[in-house]
């Protein structure tokens, strides 16, 4: 698998795949995008892609979704040709938003966001071999946009904190669900489409989700009850529990962006369940 990935660095997809064949296109064409665009009750869907020419992110919503949008959002530059949409060419959206949080903050009224982590944020060991170094660079590159957006949201909340009630600035709680077992997988595992392996990943995901729900369901209920009786927004940090029980591999187990990113929170990010006392 690594040999094949090494070869990709020497050959362009315009050489290896001149007909621009994509195995997922036929499958995606089964989706009724027109119905999704017409359905007013459909969930809000945001798909990110990276503009190859200017390097900026573009976020497509329900009214813009097509087969090409989905293919663009997962277009790895060394595997597939850039996807053309409206005269512009796009690559994987992970380079500029993995995932993009701004649309959830600006275009919805959501107060809680659940992130399903697949790229490790933390690594126990320093990479030594060339392949390990390249893999870690890739992980950091894909995670940097995510952590930057978290920092931006934290800055906005902190900046408007004194006038939050008057200006109706809401807080956003970010929850991370992941599993340490994924941290042990190398970069080549992302190219493994073996049915048994995919089934294994599905089971790992179900178990991680069940653990997260078991550890945090009571806090979600308490939060709902507090909101129904008109609890002040500043109390919401206190009624969220320690997601860290199921996300020990990442500081983002904390629900407070400032706390998780060490942006001035008086409680250390790696502290025990004291984060329930954080009121940022």
């Amino acid at each position: 698998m690594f040999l094949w990935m090494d070869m990709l660095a020497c050959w362009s997809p315009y050489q290896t795949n001149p007909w621009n064949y994509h195995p997922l296109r036929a499958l995606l064409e089964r989706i009724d995008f027109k119905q999704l665009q017409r359905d007013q009750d459909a969930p809000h869907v945001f798909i990110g892609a990276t503009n190859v020419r200017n390097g900026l992110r573009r976020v497509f919503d329900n009214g813009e979704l097509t087969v090409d949008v989905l293919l663009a959002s997962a277009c790895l530059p060394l595997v597939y040709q850039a996807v053309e949409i409206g005269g512009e060419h796009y690559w994987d959206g992970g380079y500029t938003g993995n995932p993009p949080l701004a649309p959830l903050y600006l275009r919805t009224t959501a107060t809680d966001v659940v992130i399903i982590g697949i790229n490790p944020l933390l690594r126990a060991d320093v990479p030594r071999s060339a392949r390990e170094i390249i893999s870690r660079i890739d992980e950091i590159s894909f995670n940097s946009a995510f952590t930057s957006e978290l920092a931006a949201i934290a800055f906005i909340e902190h900046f408007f904190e004194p006038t939050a009630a008057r200006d109706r600035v809401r807080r956003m709680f970010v929850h991370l669900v992941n599993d340490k077992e994924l941290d042990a997988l190398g970069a080549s595992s992302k190219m493994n489409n073996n049915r048994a392996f995919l089934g294994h990943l599905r089971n790992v995901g179900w178990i991680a989700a069940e653990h997260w729900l078991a550890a945090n369901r009571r806090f979600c209920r308490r939060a709902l009850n507090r909101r129904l009786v008109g609890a002040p927004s500043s109390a919401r940090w206190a009624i969220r529990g320690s997601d860290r029980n199921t996300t020990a591999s990442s500081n983002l187990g904390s629900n407070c962006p400032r706390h998780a990113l060490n942006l001035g929170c008086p409680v250390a990010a790696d502290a025990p369940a004291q984060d329930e006392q954080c009121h940022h």
Side-chain angles (χ1 to χ4, degrees), residues 48-278:
T50 302
N51 187 304
V52 179
R53 187 178 56 82
N54 60 29
L56 299 178
R57 176 176 70 196
R58 178 173 175 182
V59 177
F60 300 85
D61 58 20
N62 294 50
E64 303 172 293
L65 297 186
T66 63
V67 171
D68 284 336
V69 168
L70 295 186
L71 292 179
S73 72
C75 179
L76 296 176
L78 294 177
V79 180
Y80 301 110
Q81 295 183 25
V83 180
E84 183 177 357
I85 302 173
E88 294 286 356
H89 291 78
Y90 295 91
W91 282 337
D92 194 306
Y95 293 108
T96 49
N98 194 35
L101 298 180
L104 302 178
Y105 191 81
L106 299 174
R107 303 190 201 174
T108 75
T109 58
T111 56
D112 292 78
V113 176
V114 179
I115 304 294
I116 309 300
I118 58 173
N119 276 331
L121 288 163
L122 300 178
R123 285 290 189 183
D125 301 316
V126 175
R128 303 270 181 195
S129 69
R131 287 171 177 169
E132 290 175 344
I133 292 172
I134 293 174
S135 175
R136 187 54 182 156
I137 290 174
D138 181 66
E139 291 172 349
I140 293 174
S141 298
F142 272 87
N143 288 329
S144 62
F146 171 57
T147 54
S148 295
E149 282 198 87
L150 274 183
I153 292 173
F155 172 78
I156 292 173
E157 292 183 351
H158 176 63
F159 183 80
F160 285 101
E161 189 170 23
T163 61
R166 184 189 67 198
D167 297 334
R168 298 181 179 274
V169 177
R170 80 178 191 276
R171 296 184 181 276
M172 177 177 285
F173 306 104
V174 180
H175 313 268
L176 181 68
V177 181
N178 64 0
D179 192 277
K180 286 185 175 181
E181 187 167 342
L182 295 181
D183 297 352
L185 299 176
S188 62
S189 65
K190 297 179 181 180
M191 310 300 293
N192 187 350
N193 61 357
N194 180 273
R195 185 180 182 87
F197 180 69
L198 296 179
H200 169 69
L201 292 180
R202 178 182 181 276
N203 293 335
V204 169
W206 275 104
I207 293 172
E210 290 293 341
H211 287 170
W212 188 89
L213 287 172
N216 294 281
R217 185 180 291 115
R218 66 186 187 279
F219 297 109
C220 295
R221 289 173 179 170
R222 288 168 60 189
L224 178 59
N225 291 336
R226 295 263 186 128
R227 288 176 186 172
L228 290 177
V229 298
S233 60
S234 60
R236 285 190 250 169
W237 290 121
I239 58 180
R240 287 299 194 278
S242 58
D243 292 343
R244 188 174 295 110
N245 293 337
T246 54
T247 58
S249 63
S250 170
N251 285 341
L252 292 177
S254 168
N255 295 294
C256 169
R258 291 182 64 202
H259 185 134
L261 295 171
N262 293 317
L263 298 178
C265 176
V267 182
D270 58 351
Q274 289 177 323
D275 57 343
E276 295 183 23
Q277 304 301 318
C278 179

